[in-house]
Amino acid sequence: MLDLRRIVNDTDAVRAGLAKRGEEDAPIDAIIELDERRRSLIQQTDSARHFRNEVSRRIGEEKRRPTDDEIQQMRATGDRISALEDEARTVETDLRVLMLGLPNLPLEDVPDGLDETFNEIVSEVEPPPAREWDTPHWDVGERLGIIDMESAANISGSRFYMLRGPGARLHRAIVGWLLDTLVDEFGYEETNPPYLVREEALVGTGNLPKFADDLYRDEDAGLWMIPTSEVSLNAIHQGNIIDGDLPLKYCAHTPCFRKEHAAAGRDVRGMKRVKQFEKVEMFRFVEPDESEAALEEMIEISLELCRRLGFTTRLLKLCAGDIAFQSAKTYDIEVWSPGAQEWLEISSLSTCTDFQARRNNTRYRPKVGSGTRFPHTLNGSALGMPRTFIAVLENGLQADGSVVLPEVLWGRMGVDRIGSC
């Protein structure tokens, strides 16, 4: 959520930031009007309470019973206070609804542009030359008997996949390696959070109310299936003051559930765009002046993981129109898919500034005895499945049809390749 004081006091800058995202029609005027009405109602309520308290004080000092006129005045004042409080609650509700609909403001160095064609390539490694045996992962997996799209479709319909035998084990090996590396080398605390969350957790990240149609819900229980573990990790301290020093660094491996409406009409063959997938997520709570450095560090972690897996990567800085609703700045890491001859996003890393902390009222104390502040939150994939799995298959494919695995996975797999030698 944006800072209401900033909207009121720096209106032109807020309008400009929203326009950069393509939000020229954001209800800024309505928000300011509601805030003015809210302030007026508070002032009127305080004045009415003061009047009632003064009358009560005077009667008490004079040690007498109130007159009939005073009784009528007090009743009328009480009714007025109740009416003002009712109106204030309505105004505050309307104001919150409008505020929740505003996306985060892009930081100054976020590129202009309203779609992915304006994203900037920060660094890129030239893809290796095509090999005559390069094959898309769906064919590789079918030949090796490790990807079973047919059974998944029979069980659940389109955009689902099933891994079998060495494929399932490879998936588990990748996830375990990612988690252990984050914990042992980069100081993250591993978590195993809930996959079903209350509505307020999704409001806190920015998924609700705007993106309800993209999410799966258990209506009877009032719970929602997470689209990413960012939702659960962001909610760990919701409504609380963080006990301890920042930064806090969490990681989690969870399934993710999305309806994938945005994939309609796009190439959805194989495992690239599915409704249920898994991801190893990094999440941080940091002090505001440390968020830029934290983002750079998280990017380097994801790039290092890609290097150890032997991937060819490029780093993109997303334009204002392509960053997520809650993001103030986002970088994507893409890996080269030699089978499909295309770049695949494998990690997306963002700083959300204090936007999420304001939405779910997460605070911290910079020092003992000081007032509270909102921390900055950052999130990033490290890395996303199944695209990491795809990249391992397609990059490791050999002329004989076997797949040589990255060395970091040999111990977990017990072999150095899948398929014939």
Side-chain angles (χ1 to χ4, degrees):
M1 183 181 294
L2 299 182
D3 185 349
L4 180 57
R5 292 173 298 179
R6 186 176 181 186
I7 294 174
V8 172
N9 298 326
D10 199 8
T11 307
D12 290 343
V14 171
R15 289 187 193 277
L18 293 171
K20 190 174 180 178
R21 299 188 61 130
E23 299 277 350
E24 291 91 348
D25 298 327
I28 299 301
D29 290 336
I31 288 172
I32 293 174
E33 289 174 6
L34 284 170
D35 181 57
E36 290 174 348
R37 181 57 182 161
R38 180 183 66 88
R39 292 172 183 270
S40 174
L41 289 167
I42 291 173
Q43 185 177 26
Q44 293 177 61
T45 303
D46 289 344
S47 178
R49 286 200 183 102
H50 178 73
F51 172 78
R52 184 174 62 182
N53 292 339
E54 282 297 302
V55 172
S56 296
R57 182 187 60 79
R58 187 174 66 249
I59 292 172
E61 288 178 349
E62 295 174 358
K63 298 180 180 179
R64 61 175 176 82
R65 296 177 62 84
T67 66
D68 290 343
D69 286 344
E70 288 171 334
I71 291 173
Q72 291 299 320
Q73 280 184 326
M74 297 286 272
R75 286 176 178 169
T77 301
D79 291 342
R80 175 170 169 74
I81 291 171
S82 295
L84 289 169
E85 289 176 338
D86 287 344
E87 185 178 355
R89 281 191 289 270
T90 299
V91 168
E92 288 175 354
T93 298
D94 293 343
L95 179 59
R96 179 170 173 80
V97 168
L98 293 183
M99 291 287 291
L100 288 176
L102 295 180
N104 203 353
L105 298 178
L107 296 176
E108 290 184 4
D109 61 332
V110 172
D112 292 333
L114 297 181
D115 60 51
E116 61 186 14
T117 61
F118 293 93
N119 294 340
E120 293 183 359
I121 299 176
V122 178
S123 63
E124 181 176 10
V125 177
E126 188 70 22
R131 305 167 299 186
E132 61 181 34
W133 61 82
D134 280 333
T135 307
H137 69 277
W138 53 86
D139 287 335
V140 176
E142 183 178 2
R143 285 205 305 258
L144 293 173
I146 61 175
I147 301 177
D148 187 350
M149 303 299 296
E150 182 178 355
S151 292
N154 288 338
I155 297 168
S156 303
S158 63
R159 297 190 196 164
F160 289 88
Y161 65 91
M162 176 181 284
L163 301 178
R164 306 184 69 158
R169 185 171 185 177
L170 175 59
H171 183 282
R172 176 161 51 90
I174 294 171
V175 167
W177 174 74
L178 290 171
L179 285 172
D180 286 348
T181 304
L182 290 177
V183 172
D184 296 340
E185 294 190 32
F186 299 111
Y188 280 81
E189 178 187 337
E190 183 177 353
T191 69
N192 187 358
Y195 308 157
L196 289 164
V197 298
R198 293 174 175 168
E199 180 176 314
E200 52 263 37
L202 284 153
V203 170
T205 47
N207 297 93
L208 289 179
K210 187 169 185 177
F211 302 103
D213 290 343
D214 296 329
L215 306 174
Y216 291 99
R217 182 184 184 187
D218 179 346
E219 294 189 6
D220 292 336
L223 298 173
W224 300 70
M225 301 175 78
I226 58 171
T228 165
S229 56
E230 172 193 352
V231 175
S232 300
L233 299 178
N234 179 62
I236 290 176
H237 303 287
Q238 64 182 0
N240 294 318
I241 300 171
I242 292 173
D243 183 17
D245 296 331
L246 299 182
L248 298 177
K249 305 194 305 187
Y250 300 118
C251 66
H253 161 235
T254 67
C256 307
F257 306 93
R258 302 179 190 175
K259 293 185 178 179
E260 280 294 328
H261 294 308
R266 304 180 69 178
D267 180 7
V268 294
R269 289 176 295 176
M271 301 159 57
K272 290 186 293 184
R273 296 183 179 92
V274 289
K275 297 179 179 179
Q276 175 189 319
F277 58 99
E278 297 183 28
K279 190 165 55 152
V280 174
E281 183 82 0
M282 299 183 288
F283 195 91
R284 296 193 188 191
F285 294 92
V286 304
E287 297 206 31
D289 60 357
E290 296 178 355
S291 61
E292 187 68 26
L295 180 59
E296 295 296 327
E297 184 179 314
M298 291 171 68
I299 293 169
E300 182 53 37
I301 289 173
S302 290
L303 287 172
E304 176 60 22
L305 294 171
C306 289
R307 283 191 286 267
R308 296 185 191 183
L309 291 168
F311 297 160
T312 299
T313 63
R314 70 176 183 179
L315 179 66
L316 303 180
K317 190 178 191 179
L318 303 195
C319 70
D322 201 30
I323 61 177
F325 180 85
Q326 66 271 29
S327 174
K329 181 163 61 176
T330 297
Y331 289 86
D332 277 0
I333 297 173
E334 296 182 337
V335 298
W336 181 246
S337 166
Q341 291 289 296
E342 64 178 336
W343 292 100
L344 293 178
E345 177 201 323
I346 199 171
S347 178
S348 188
L349 304 113
S350 301
T351 176
C352 299
T353 59
D354 61 1
F355 184 81
Q356 293 178 325
R358 288 182 180 277
R359 290 174 77 96
N360 63 12
N361 196 28
T362 298
R363 294 146 293 152
Y364 79 103
R365 294 189 190 279
K367 57 184 178 180
V368 176
S370 70
T372 61
R373 297 183 65 187
F374 294 108
H376 282 197
T377 59
L378 301 98
N379 65 85
S381 314
L383 300 164
M385 304 289 283
R387 293 188 177 184
T388 303
F389 183 96
I390 291 171
V392 167
L393 285 193
E394 293 190 2
N395 283 283
L397 182 64
Q398 305 299 300
D400 66 356
S402 66
V403 173
V404 173
L405 302 173
E407 186 174 352
V408 293
L409 302 179
W410 291 357
R412 293 174 183 271
M413 288 293 293
V415 294
D416 63 0
R417 72 176 62 209
I418 297 175
S420 59
C421 298

